[in-house]
Amino acid sequence: MKKAIYGETTPHPDIASSLNNIGNSWSGLGDKRKAITYYEQSLKMMKAIYGERKAITYYEQSLKMKKAIYGETTEHPDIASSLNNIGNCWRGLGDHRKAITYYEQSLKMKKAIYGNTTPHPGIASSLNNIGTCWSHLGDQRKAITYYEQSLKMEKAIYGETTPHPDIASSLCNIGNCWNQLGDQRKAISYYEQSLKMRKAIY
């Protein structure tokens, strides 16, 4: 009924509340996994309505629930994902140091799950996120070390010469750092590689 009133895909507090209530009911019945799917939908809607800060409180609840399900110290992809989401929110709010603490926890967990040196998209993504934060904090050289690790992993996953959006993005990020550091020639070489790849993709 609420969806019929406000729109099937319209973010609305009443719809978010209903999704949350259904989550509570499934949780009460002991089906935590089903509860999480409703909580995640509610959370996504709350974030769209209220923004990052409100979302953090919901992500924190979600993280707490996942730890209760899988174990407080268990390495699990869902827990790593929650840590990453909280990091994204803090980054959106401009607190890059706080974001890094969550990204680092997520990265550590992903490495424990998939292997310390195993090329994995989730690990590459975490490295990229941490690089972006260091870049915003003004430490371009530190950012480059993370971007380079991410780039190396992406090439290992998708192919050394395969045009891929993630590789193009990493090349562009490294170019941005060299540009900030005043080495325009080096920046151009990365931008050119990124441009060539994006043209091949699109």
Side-chain angles (χ1 to χ4, degrees):
M1 201 171 278
K2 287 173 184 174
K3 282 183 173 181
I5 296 164
Y6 305 117
E8 194 64 35
T9 56
T10 308
H12 193 280
D14 292 354
I15 298 172
S17 176
S18 287
L19 289 164
N20 193 66
N21 290 340
I22 298 167
N24 287 340
S25 298
W26 282 116
S27 180
L29 288 166
D31 194 335
K32 305 291 184 191
R33 284 176 204 281
K34 208 157 192 173
I36 284 173
T37 65
Y38 282 96
Y39 286 141
E40 292 282 7
Q41 289 177 68
S42 175
L43 173 62
K44 193 178 175 185
M45 200 167 277
M46 289 292 194
K47 190 176 178 182
I49 299 162
Y50 302 113
E52 310 285 2
R53 197 165 290 279
K54 186 93 175 177
I56 289 169
T57 62
Y58 285 95
Y59 279 132
E60 291 280 10
Q61 286 175 51
S62 174
L63 176 63
K64 195 176 173 184
M65 189 173 285
K66 286 171 183 175
K67 283 184 174 181
I69 296 164
Y70 303 118
E72 196 62 38
T73 57
T74 307
E75 280 99 7
H76 193 280
D78 289 357
I79 295 173
S81 175
S82 282
L83 290 164
N84 191 69
N85 288 338
I86 296 168
N88 286 341
C89 288
W90 283 115
R91 192 172 91 186
L93 288 165
D95 193 334
H96 298 286
R97 290 197 184 276
K98 206 155 193 173
I100 286 169
T101 64
Y102 283 95
Y103 286 146
E104 289 281 10
Q105 288 177 69
S106 181
L107 175 63
K108 190 181 173 186
M109 194 167 281
K110 286 172 186 174
K111 283 184 172 182
I113 296 163
Y114 305 115
N116 214 40
T117 56
T118 308
H120 188 277
I123 296 173
S125 174
S126 286
L127 290 164
N128 188 66
N129 289 341
I130 297 166
T132 301
C133 288
W134 282 116
S135 180
H136 280 290
L137 287 165
D139 195 334
Q140 305 306 330
R141 291 194 185 277
K142 202 160 192 172
I144 287 169
T145 65
Y146 282 96
Y147 286 146
E148 289 280 10
Q149 288 177 71
S150 182
L151 176 63
K152 188 181 174 185
M153 198 167 276
E154 285 158 0
K155 284 183 173 183
I157 297 163
Y158 306 116
E160 196 63 37
T161 56
T162 308
H164 191 278
D166 291 355
I167 297 173
S169 179
S170 287
L171 289 164
C172 190
N173 289 339
I174 297 166
N176 288 338
C177 290
W178 284 116
N179 189 28
Q180 288 290 316
L181 287 165
D183 193 334
Q184 268 71 47
R185 286 188 192 282
K186 210 159 190 173
I188 286 169
S189 74
Y190 281 96
Y191 288 146
E192 290 282 9
Q193 289 175 70
S194 179
L195 176 64
K196 189 180 174 184
M197 197 167 276
R198 284 176 172 158
K199 282 183 173 180
I201 297 163
Y202 304 115

